[in-house]
């Protein structure tokens, strides 16, 4: 758009206004030419208004969640009665609009996708929302179209798939507006979804915003907009509203410095005009009976495709959608969530809703409402045929801007009754929240509100003036409760209204959850936390509810379903359970869960399968999925499938970072299957054999690798030594483990101790040699500082070699007994921190062994001599008498095994001949004393 005015425009309706603005630009520009930046800006704004008003299709400019836009929309719809309404909203949201009647506003239309086809996987999940409030122009258009016969509502904005095609995220997540950190519970109702709104009228230049706020004597943009746009336009006629809103849209569009925003907006505008031309060509609709509702910035579009008859415009090719499967639904919203989503000031949406309600009550307009909608005031109207537009009801081409811009805004007189009601109510609300407020504070708030309004150039205090006055007069030096006075004012002036999706509009999964939890006897739609008590032993019918609650616990946020009493683990089922349920507060999460499946169990199954087949999945994650499948789904075949995947992942791993978790989970699963199944599943046997070979291969490398910690190496040895008998029975070769241990040559002290423990357990190093090496370490001043690390390795080795516990207690006792204080005291903190960091699970085992070794009383401790002390005189032990019997006969007949074990333990073997048992020994004497039992058994066998 050039700065030179055409003759048609100069002679048109806005010609005088244009010349007046150019004269003002010359005057303020100190005689600069009319082609300078200010003149081009002002002239272009007038040209934009003139172009929008001359368009054949009537354009209705709006601002999102604006009471002035909603009231003007209601008036215009009743006056014009259009037969087709084109609405700037994602075109694939159209099927959701019929479900709004089942909801309590505010709610948000949502499209959701977690399985992407055509977008990078790291973007998942994708989410786009469009919030709807009663005080919004789009809701008025939707209600009018649904409650009036013969009216068609057409959504013309790009689809949610094109949102991500045309505006890809700059990082790992979608690029949405700046969202401040919210402190309220309802700020996160939209999650991290991309927000779609009609007309974001925030200026692009930060300097302009700062200038407006400073000279308008307001704190933030929302207050400026309410004071200088909303209030003057709430009672204005339609022609004035339309021209002013178009002018504002042109101003902010021309001031937007971001090329990315400009390119995105122009693409959207060409898309919308293309859709409208296609619809008119297909249906033959008369443009005079149509209304185009869009953001004020889009109403003054300068793209080539603007208008119904763009002769010189090139056809706009709309790219096809990707293969991503989008799910659609309604989620609850709130005023604070909308404010957080779009960067508005806290309380601004609530104040806008209060302004709308006040204007409706005063008779400014009769808004449209969906019939039977929850939370709405007196119901919608009966459908009636749309009458033809009355004569003279057009958009109006008279110049209303000149008069509106020339005269100051009409100042509303002070409404004392309204302000007094606010002051009295805020004092009562403050007292209920712990403030020491009184009638004097109410009077002070009243006077301060009037004073602040006067200082800011207005006779009628606004809600923002009242809020500042209340904070000044009531909030002294501290906040006694959770809410400060500013928050109390927001509650008083309208509160954070929270919407709710009706049962009929919920996805099948959400309805299934509510139906299956109905035996609990709770109203799960409430937003409060409710306590559910389940006596599963007395009432077995509640067990399905318990099963579902545990599945929801796995799927929903932590505060939605929280167990107070009871547990669900492998082989464990509770008899009684207690739950805190806040499903109504987390309705958004439940709705989004419905996008993934029909039942909660199906969603959990899909998530588990997706987790184990993820490219970054690990064997530990797969074992966790197996455990979840057994605990929550009781699905044996599905668990076998996940277990087979765990075997594949373990064999493909090249690191041992997850070895501790792998060991812990496979032990738990093996114990479960041994206790509940006649034999181990096939995947368990394959996992043990694959893990044995895998860890034997990686063991030499892990011993010398600096990135492999002591905990990981100990877990590997725990797997190899703890499951050695099972692995050997399944066909593994013990020589492979011995070879891996012999090839290991660690240098770190903790890993050296682990290697000694492994060799001792395998019989490659006698226990006496390990004891001797520990004595050498304590005797050398050079090795004493590193001895805590050796001790940490020994403590970690208690898992794969629990027989080392007496040796560890012995070594630790020798250290405390032999080292002098000058060595021991600096060494002790290091020992404690080392054990805390690397062996906290094994320390209880060590303490138990120490309690078994040391005496339990002080007198006994004084007379006690350590068994490892060389100076102690061993008491003469009576020669053990030889024992006869089948076991003794077996050992005596095959002495090789016993001699090998004794040699391994370092004990000599002395064989004694067993005396012949006289008359059957003690067993015969027992039978002789109690003959009744043998006689009863003989009688039983004789039958």
């Amino acid at each position: 758009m050039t700065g030179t005015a055409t003759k048609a425009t100069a002679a048109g309706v806005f010609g005088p206004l244009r010349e007046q603005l150019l004269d003002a630009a010359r005057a303020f520009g100190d005689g600069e030419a009319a082609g300078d930046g200010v003149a081009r800006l002002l002239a272009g704004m007038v040209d934009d208004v003139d172009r929008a008003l001359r368009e054949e299709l009537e354009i209705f400019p709006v601002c999102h969640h604006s009471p002035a836009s909603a009231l003007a929309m209601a008036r215009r719809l009743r006056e014009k009665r259009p037969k087709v309404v084109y609405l700037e909203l994602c075109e694939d949201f159209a099927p959701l609009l019929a479900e709004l009647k089942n909801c309590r506003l505010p709610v948000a239309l949502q499209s959701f996708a977690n399985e992407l086809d055509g977008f990078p996987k790291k973007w998942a999940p994708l989410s786009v929302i469009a919030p709807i409030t009663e005080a919004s122009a789009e809701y008025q258009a939707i209600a009018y179209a649904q409650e009036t016969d013969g009216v068609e509502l057409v959504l013309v904005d790009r689809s949610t798939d094109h949102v991500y095609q045309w505006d890809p995220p700059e990082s790992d997540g979608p690029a949405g507006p700046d969202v401040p950190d919210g402190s309220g519970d309802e700020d996160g109702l939209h999650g991290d979804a991309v927000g779609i709104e009609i007309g974001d009228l925030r200026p692009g230049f930060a300097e302009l915003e700062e200038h407006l706020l400073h000279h308008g004597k307001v704190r933030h943009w929302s207050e400026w907009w309410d004071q200088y746009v909303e209030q003057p336009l709430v009672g204005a006629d339609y022609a004035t509203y339309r021209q002013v809103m178009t002018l504002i849209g042109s101003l902010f569009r021309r001031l937007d410095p971001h090329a990315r925003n400009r390119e995105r907006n122009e693409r959207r505008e060409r898309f919308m005009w293309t859709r409208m031309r296609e619809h008119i060509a297909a249906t033959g609709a008369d443009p005079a009976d149509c209304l185009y509702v869009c953001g004020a910035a889009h109403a003054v579009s300068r793209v080539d495709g603007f208008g119904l008859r763009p002769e010189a415009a090139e056809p706009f090719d709309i790219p096809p959608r990707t293969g991503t499967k989008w799910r659609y639904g309604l989620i609850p919203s709130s005023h604070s969530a909308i404010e957080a989503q779009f960067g508005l000031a806290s309380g601004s949406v609530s104040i806008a809703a209060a302004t709308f309600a006040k204007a409706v009550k005063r008779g400014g307009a009769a808004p449209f409402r969906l019939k039977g909608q929850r939370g709405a005031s007196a119901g919608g109207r009966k459908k009636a045929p749309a009458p033809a537009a009355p004569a003279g009801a057009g958009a109006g081409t008279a110049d209303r801007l000149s008069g509106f811009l020339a005269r100051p805004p009409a100042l509303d007189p002070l409404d004392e009754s309204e302000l007094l009601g606010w002051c009295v109510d805020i004092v009562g609300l403050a007292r209920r929240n712990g403030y020491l407020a009184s009638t004097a504070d109410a009077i002070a708030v009243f006077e301060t509100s009037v004073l602040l309004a006067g200082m800011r150039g207005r006779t009628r205090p606004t809600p923002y003036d009242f809020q500042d006055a209340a904070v000044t007069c009531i909030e002294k030096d501290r906040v006694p409760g959770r809410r400060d006075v500013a928050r109390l004012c927001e509650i008083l002036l309208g509160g954070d209204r929270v919407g709710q999706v009706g049962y009929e509009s919920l996805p099948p999964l959400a309805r299934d959850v509510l139906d299956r939890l109905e035996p609990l006897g709770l109203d799960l739609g409430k937003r409060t936390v409710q306590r559910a008590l389940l006596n599963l032993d007395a009432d077995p019918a509640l067990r399905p509810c318990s099963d579902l609650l545990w599945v929801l616990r796995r799927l929903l946020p932590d505060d939605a379903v929280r167990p107070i009493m009871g547990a669900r683990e492998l082989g464990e089922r509770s008899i009684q359970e207690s739950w805190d349920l806040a499903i109504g507060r987390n309705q958004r999460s439940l709705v989004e869960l419905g996008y993934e499946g029909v039942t909660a169990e199906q969603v959990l199954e899909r998530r588990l399968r997706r987790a184990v087949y993820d490219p970054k999945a690990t064997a530990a994650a797969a074992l966790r999925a197996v455990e979840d499948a057994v605990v929550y789904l009781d699905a044996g075949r599905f668990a076998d499938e996940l277990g087979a995947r765990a075997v594949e992942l373990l064999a493909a791993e090249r690191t041992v970072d997850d070895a501790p978790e792998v060991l812990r989970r496979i032990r738990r699963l093996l114990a479960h299957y041994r206790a509940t199944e006649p034999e181990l599943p096939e995947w368990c046997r394959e996992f043990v054999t694959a893990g044995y070979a895998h860890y034997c291969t990686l063991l030499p490398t892990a011993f010398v690798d600096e990135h492999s910690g002591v905990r990981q190496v100990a877990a590997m040895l725990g797997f190899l030594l703890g499951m050695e008998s099972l692995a050997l029975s399944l066909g593994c070769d013990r020589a492979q483990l011995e070879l891996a241990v012999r090839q290991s040559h660690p240098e770190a002290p903790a890993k050296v101790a682990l290697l000694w423990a492994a060799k001792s357990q395998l019989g490659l190093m006698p226990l006496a040699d390990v004891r001797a090496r520990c004595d050498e370490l304590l005797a050398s001043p050079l090795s004493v500082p590193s001895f805590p690390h050796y001790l940490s390795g020994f403590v970690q080795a208690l898992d794969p070699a629990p027989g080392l516990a007496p040796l560890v207690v012995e070594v630790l006792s020798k250290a405390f007994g032999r080292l002098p204080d000058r060595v021991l005291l600096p060494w002790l903190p290091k020992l404690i921190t080392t054990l805390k960091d690397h062996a906290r699970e094994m320390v209880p085992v060590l303490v138990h062994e120490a309690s078994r070794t040391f005496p339990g009383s002080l007198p006994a401790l004084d007379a006690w001599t350590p068994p490892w002390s060389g100076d102690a005189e061993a008491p003469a032990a009576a020669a053990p008498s030889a024992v006869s019997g089948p076991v003794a006969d077996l050992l005596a007949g095959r002495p090789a095994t016993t001699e090998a074990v004794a040699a391994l333990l370092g004990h000599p073997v002395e064989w004694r001949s067993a005396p012949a048992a006289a008359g059957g020994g003690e067993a015969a004497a027992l039978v002789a004393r109690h003959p009744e039992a043998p006689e009863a058994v003989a009688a039983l066998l004789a039958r």
Side-chain angles (χ1 to χ4, degrees), residues 520-596:
L520 298 179
L522 302 176
D523 185 3
L524 299 178
K526 292 182 177 179
R527 298 187 54 79
T528 56
V529 178
Q530 303 179 74
R531 178 64 59 86
L533 303 176
L534 286 72
N535 190 342
L536 304 178
D537 195 16
D539 190 359
L542 294 178
R543 288 195 178 275
C545 297
S546 172
D547 297 338
L548 178 59
L549 288 175
W550 285 112
V551 173
L552 294 177
R553 171 67 177 172
R554 178 67 171 75
L555 298 174
L556 293 179
D558 292 339
D559 61 332
V561 178
R562 187 165 62 94
I564 305 301
M565 181 179 67
R568 178 65 66 90
E569 296 179 357
L570 282 173
E572 182 177 349
R573 295 294 184 271
S574 303
I575 298 176
Q576 292 181 337
E577 294 177 354
S578 175
W579 295 83
D580 274 353
L581 304 180
I583 296 179
R585 182 182 298 176
N586 292 270
Q587 194 182 51
R588 165 183 165 266
S589 300
L590 185 62
V591 170
E592 291 185 349
L593 203 64
Y595 300 153
E596 302 183 44

Side-chain angles (χ1 to χ4, degrees), residues 738-758:
E738 293 182 358
L739 184 61
V741 172
R742 293 179 185 275
Q743 290 177 343
S744 301
H745 303 286
E747 297 180 358
K751 293 183 179 180
V752 170
L754 274 176
L755 181 61
W756 293 348

Side-chain angles (χ1 to χ4, degrees), residues 371-387:
K371 184 177 181 180
Q373 186 170 33
R374 301 174 58 190
S377 21
R381 306 168 185 273
K382 294 183 179 180
K383 281 196 173 186

Side-chain angles (χ1 to χ4, degrees), residues 106-108 189-190 330-334 498-501 587-588 591:
V107 296
L189 284 178
H190 295 170
L330 298 169
I331 62 172
S333 182
S334 67
V498 180
Q500 187 178 26
V501 180
Q587 194 182 51
R588 165 183 165 266
V591 170

